[in-house]
Amino acid sequence: MRTFTTPADLDAAVGEELGTSEWTLITQEMVDHFAAATGDHQWIHVDVDRATRESPFGGPIAHGYLSLALLPALAAQIYAVDGAKLVVNYGSNKVRFVNPVRVGARVRLRSVFTSVEEVKGGALQVSVSQTLEIEDAPKPALVAEAISRVLF
């Protein structure tokens, strides 16, 4: 776990791999809760029998946006910004869902700081390259550039 307490700490970490999170099991219960929260009940996610019979993946898969939604919690296992008045999600760039995540798979996050820039109002805009890896898979589930605004 890396902890950053000053703007200089953040700036000094640009280009560094910050590490990986713990492995997280993707369960059908998680997928079903995500479907209920978002209204996305596509059979490939929530109908286990049909997905096992008919999908090209041999069973249900997690929603791509469920995988994306895991990033903040997994990133919190890798790094933290302490002493800031405010840290908010500003958005994402270049999100790509590279490989579906089958229910029962384990995923983890790998994070690399890519830039820290001062923006209007004195905040810092911090960009982090995020790769959600699937255990024993040749390709990651997703890659994204996550952007946060940090005010010290």
Side-chain angles (χ1 to χ4, degrees):
M1 167 68 107
R2 295 278 302 269
T3 302
F4 301 94
T5 57
T6 68
D9 289 343
L10 291 169
D11 195 49
V14 170
E16 289 185 22
E17 182 173 308
L18 301 176
T20 58
S21 69
E22 297 295 320
W23 289 106
T24 297
L25 178 66
I26 303 301
T27 66
Q28 188 62 50
E29 182 180 27
M30 291 169 69
V31 171
D32 292 343
H33 284 297
F34 191 83
T38 62
D40 181 352
H41 297 280
Q42 186 180 16
W43 66 268
I44 201 153
H45 306 301
V46 298
D47 188 333
V48 175
D49 292 334
R50 183 176 177 192
T52 301
R53 284 190 325 270
E54 298 179 27
S55 89
F57 310 111
I61 59 171
H63 303 74
Y65 284 111
L66 168 57
S67 298
L68 186 63
L70 293 173
L71 298 189
L74 296 177
Q77 296 177 18
I78 300 169
Y79 64 92
V81 179
D82 286 348
K85 294 177 187 173
L86 182 68
V87 179
V88 295
N89 178 8
Y90 189 67
S92 298
N93 289 331
K94 304 174 190 169
V95 177
R96 298 293 181 265
F97 300 105
V98 180
N99 196 8
V101 179
R102 290 195 50 185
V103 169
R106 295 191 329 156
V107 297
R108 73 177 178 187
L109 184 64
R110 183 175 302 278
S111 299
V112 177
F113 270 13
T114 54
S115 68
V116 176
E117 302 170 354
E118 189 169 337
V119 294
K120 186 176 179 178
L124 298 176
Q125 183 164 296
V126 179
S127 297
V128 183
S129 173
Q130 304 281 32
T131 303
L132 189 67
E133 302 173 338
I134 306 169
E135 188 174 40
D136 299 324
K139 292 190 238 177
L142 71 84
V143 293
E145 179 183 38
I147 304 167
S148 299
R149 292 272 173 104
V150 180
L151 183 62
F152 281 94

